[in-house]
CSV table of all heavy atoms in Angstrom, one decimal:
chain,number,residue,atom,x,y,z
A,11,HIS,N,-55.1,-45.2,-6.8
A,11,HIS,CA,-55.0,-43.8,-6.9
A,11,HIS,C,-55.7,-43.3,-8.2
A,11,HIS,O,-55.2,-43.6,-9.3
A,11,HIS,CB,-53.6,-43.3,-6.9
A,11,HIS,CG,-53.4,-41.8,-7.1
A,11,HIS,ND1,-53.8,-40.9,-6.1
A,11,HIS,CD2,-53.1,-41.1,-8.2
A,11,HIS,CE1,-53.6,-39.7,-6.6
A,11,HIS,NE2,-53.2,-39.7,-7.8
A,92,GLU,N,-51.4,-36.1,-2.2
A,92,GLU,CA,-50.1,-36.3,-2.9
A,92,GLU,C,-49.1,-35.2,-2.4
A,92,GLU,O,-48.9,-34.2,-3.1
A,92,GLU,CB,-50.3,-36.2,-4.4
A,92,GLU,CG,-51.1,-37.4,-4.9
A,92,GLU,CD,-51.0,-37.5,-6.4
A,92,GLU,OE1,-51.7,-36.7,-7.1
A,92,GLU,OE2,-50.2,-38.3,-6.9
A,119,TYR,N,-44.3,-34.7,-3.7
A,119,TYR,CA,-44.8,-34.9,-5.1
A,119,TYR,C,-43.8,-34.4,-6.1
A,119,TYR,O,-43.7,-33.1,-6.2
A,119,TYR,CB,-46.1,-34.2,-5.2
A,119,TYR,CG,-46.7,-34.2,-6.6
A,119,TYR,CD1,-47.7,-35.2,-6.9
A,119,TYR,CD2,-46.4,-33.3,-7.6
A,119,TYR,CE1,-48.2,-35.3,-8.2
A,119,TYR,CE2,-46.9,-33.4,-8.8
A,119,TYR,CZ,-47.9,-34.4,-9.1
A,119,TYR,OH,-48.4,-34.4,-10.4
A,158,HIS,N,-44.1,-40.9,-6.4
A,158,HIS,CA,-43.6,-39.5,-6.6
A,158,HIS,C,-42.4,-39.2,-5.8
A,158,HIS,O,-41.9,-38.1,-5.9
A,158,HIS,CB,-44.7,-38.5,-6.4
A,158,HIS,CG,-45.8,-38.4,-7.4
A,158,HIS,ND1,-45.7,-37.7,-8.6
A,158,HIS,CD2,-47.0,-39.0,-7.4
A,158,HIS,CE1,-46.8,-37.9,-9.3
A,158,HIS,NE2,-47.6,-38.7,-8.6
A,179,HIS,N,-49.0,-45.7,-7.4
A,179,HIS,CA,-49.1,-45.6,-8.9
A,179,HIS,C,-47.8,-45.2,-9.5
A,179,HIS,O,-47.3,-44.2,-9.3
A,179,HIS,CB,-50.2,-44.6,-9.3
A,179,HIS,CG,-50.1,-43.2,-8.8
A,179,HIS,ND1,-50.0,-42.9,-7.4
A,179,HIS,CD2,-49.9,-42.0,-9.4
A,179,HIS,CE1,-49.9,-41.6,-7.2
A,179,HIS,NE2,-49.8,-41.0,-8.4
A,190,ARG,N,-40.3,-41.2,-12.7
A,190,ARG,CA,-41.4,-41.5,-11.9
A,190,ARG,C,-41.6,-43.0,-11.5
A,190,ARG,O,-42.4,-43.4,-10.7
A,190,ARG,CB,-42.7,-41.1,-12.5
A,190,ARG,CG,-43.2,-39.7,-12.2
A,190,ARG,CD,-43.9,-39.7,-10.8
A,190,ARG,NE,-45.2,-40.2,-10.9
A,190,ARG,CZ,-45.7,-41.3,-10.3
A,190,ARG,NH1,-44.8,-42.1,-9.7
A,190,ARG,NH2,-46.9,-41.7,-10.4
A,246,ASP,N,-54.5,-44.2,-12.1
A,246,ASP,CA,-54.3,-42.8,-12.1
A,246,ASP,C,-55.0,-42.2,-13.2
A,246,ASP,O,-54.6,-41.2,-13.8
A,246,ASP,CB,-52.8,-42.4,-12.1
A,246,ASP,CG,-52.5,-41.0,-11.7
A,246,ASP,OD1,-53.4,-40.4,-11.1
A,246,ASP,OD2,-51.4,-40.5,-12.0
B,401,LIG,ZN1,-49.7,-38.9,-8.9
Side-chain angles (χ1 to χ4, degrees):
H11 176 76
E92 294 192 279
Y119 177 94
H158 290 274
H179 56 299
R190 266 282 283 113
D246 196 16

